[in-house]
C-alpha cells in the first residue's frame, strides 16, 4: 500500500509472506525517493513471493524495495516451486535492498548484523540464490548461503550470470559455505557491467567445491570498478 509520503510498507499475510528471519541485500539504483516498498518475510514461501513481487511483472516492479527476512531457516525445498533457487530478475532501474540477521516479528524486526540468524539452505537439491539485474545495484548482506548443489554453475550465490545483467553489485557480511557445483563456481559468482561497481567484502567463504574450478567462486567486473576485500 503506497502513500503520498513516499513509503510503501506491506506486512505479509499468512498466504503471502510469513515466518522466520533472513535478509538479503539487493540494491538497484536511482529510483525516485517516493517509490519505496518494504516487505518483511518469515519463511521460504514468503521470501520467494517477495522476490517475485519486486521482479519484472510483480506488483512492485519498477519501485525501490527493501526485503527484511527475519531469523530462521529458509530451505529451497520449502518454496514454490520447490528444489529451485530463490530467484529475482529485473530489467527496471530500481533500488531493492534486502538484509539478513533480523530478530523479532514482522512488520518491524530489529537488525542484528548476525548472518548466522538468516539461513538460505539449498538442502543439496538446488542452487541457493540467483539474481539477475539489468541496471542499478544489487546488495546481498548478512545471510548464510549454504548446502547448494547443482550440476551446473554456480551452486551458492549467483549474481548477474546472464548476458545483459549489467547492474552493480555489493556482497558483504555473508557466510557462504558447503556449496557443491558440478561445473564452475561452488560458492559464488558475481558480475557487474558497464560503468557500475562490483564490491565483495567481509564475507566468510568456506568449504565450497566445484568440479571444474573456482570452488570458492569468482567476481567479474566488466568495464566498471571492482574490489575484493577481507574474505576468508
Amino acid at each position: 500500500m503506497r502513500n503520498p509520503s513516499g513509503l510503501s510498507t506491506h506486512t505479509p499475510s499468512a498466504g503471502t509472506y510469513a515466518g522466520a528471519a533472513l535478509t538479503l541485500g539487493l540494491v538497484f539504483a536511482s529510483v525516485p525517493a517516493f517509490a519505496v516498498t518494504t516487505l518483511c518475510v518469515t519463511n521460504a514461501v514468503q521470501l520467494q513471493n517477495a522476490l517475485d513481487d519486486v521482479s519484472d511483472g510483480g506488483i512492485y516492479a519498477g519501485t525501490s524495495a527493501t526485503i527484511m527476512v527475519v531469523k530462521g531457516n529458509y530451505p529451497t525445498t520449502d518454496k514454490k516451486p520447490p528444489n529451485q533457487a530463490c530467484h529475482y530478475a529485473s530489467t527496471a532501474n530500481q533500488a531493492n535492498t534486502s538484509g539478513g540477521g533480523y530478530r523479532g516479528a514482522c512488520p518491524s524486526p530489529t537488525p542484528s548484523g548476525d548472518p548466522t540468524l538468516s539461513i538460505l539452505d539449498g538442502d543439496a537439491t538446488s542452487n541457493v540464490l540467483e539474481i539477475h539485474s539489468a541496471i542499478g545495484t544489487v546488495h546481498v548482506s548478512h545471510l548464510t548461503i549454504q548446502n547448494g548443489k547443482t550440476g551446473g554453475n554456480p551452486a551458492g550465490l549467483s549474481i548477474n550470470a546472464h548476458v545483459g545483467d549489467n547492474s552493480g553489485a555489493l556482497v558483504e557480511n555473508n557466510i557462504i559455505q558447503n556449496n557443491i557445483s558440478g561445473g564452475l563456481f561452488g560458492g559464488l559468482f558475481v558480475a557487474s557491467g558497464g560503468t557500475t561497481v562490483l564490491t565483495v567484502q567481509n564475507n566468510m567463504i568456506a568449504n565450497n567445491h566445484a568440479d571444474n574450478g573456482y570452488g570458492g567462486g569468482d567476481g567479474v567486473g566488466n568495464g566498471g570498478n571492482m574490489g575484493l576485500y577481507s574474505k576468508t
Side-chain angles (χ1 to χ4, degrees), residues 73-88:
N73 192 31
Y74 293 73
T76 58
T77 50
D78 285 0
K79 61 179 284 294
K80 297 182 180 181
N83 304 327
Q84 296 180 13
C86 294
H87 53 272
Y88 164 92

Side-chain angles (χ1 to χ4, degrees), residues 7-8 22-31 35-41 47 50-51 54-55 60 62-70 88 90 93-100 102 109 111 129 131 133 135-143 168 170-172:
L7 180 64
S8 170
L22 148 69
T23 311
L24 331 179
L26 322 179
V27 181
F28 309 81
S30 60
V31 237
V36 178
T37 300
T38 299
L39 307 174
C40 183
V41 302
L47 174 57
L51 292 168
V54 298
S55 293
Y60 300 117
T63 67
S64 296
T66 295
I67 301 176
M68 301 182 294
V69 191
V70 187
Y88 164 92
S90 176
N93 188 16
Q94 63 188 62
N96 184 355
T97 303
S98 300
Y102 281 88
L129 178 59
I131 295 166
S133 178
I135 49 179
T137 304
V138 178
H139 179 198
V140 176
S141 68
H142 301 103
L143 297 175
L170 171 60
V171 179
E172 60 178 348

Side-chain angles (χ1 to χ4, degrees), residues 52-221:
D52 288 343
D53 283 349
V54 298
S55 293
D56 287 348
I59 58 175
Y60 300 117
T63 67
S64 296
T66 295
I67 301 176
M68 301 182 294
V69 191
V70 187
K71 173 185 176 182
N73 192 31
Y74 293 73
T76 58
T77 50
D78 285 0
K79 61 179 284 294
K80 297 182 180 181
N83 304 327
Q84 296 180 13
C86 294
H87 53 272
Y88 164 92
S90 176
T91 56
N93 188 16
Q94 63 188 62
N96 184 355
T97 303
S98 300
Y102 281 88
R103 300 179 186 273
C106 294
S108 302
T110 302
S112 72
D114 183 356
T116 67
L117 298 182
S118 302
I119 301 171
L120 280 179
D121 198 308
D123 270 352
T125 62
S126 69
N127 52 330
V128 183
L129 178 59
E130 184 171 343
I131 295 166
H132 300 282
S133 178
I135 49 179
T137 304
V138 178
H139 179 198
V140 176
S141 68
H142 301 103
L143 297 175
T144 294
I145 298 171
Q146 66 181 26
N147 296 331
K149 187 174 182 179
T150 176
N153 31 273
L157 171 64
S158 175
I159 299 179
N160 293 343
H162 291 173
V163 173
D165 294 345
N166 292 318
S167 77
L170 171 60
V171 179
E172 60 178 348
N173 303 315
N174 300 286
I175 299 170
I176 302 173
Q177 62 184 8
N178 304 328
N179 300 288
I180 300 173
S181 170
L184 297 166
F185 318 122
L188 78 161
F189 175 82
V190 186
S192 63
T195 59
T196 60
V197 176
L198 167 62
T199 303
V200 180
Q201 62 185 9
N202 300 324
N203 301 284
M204 188 186 81
I205 303 171
N207 300 320
N208 300 285
H209 172 80
D211 288 353
N212 296 332
Y214 300 96
D218 195 18
V220 179

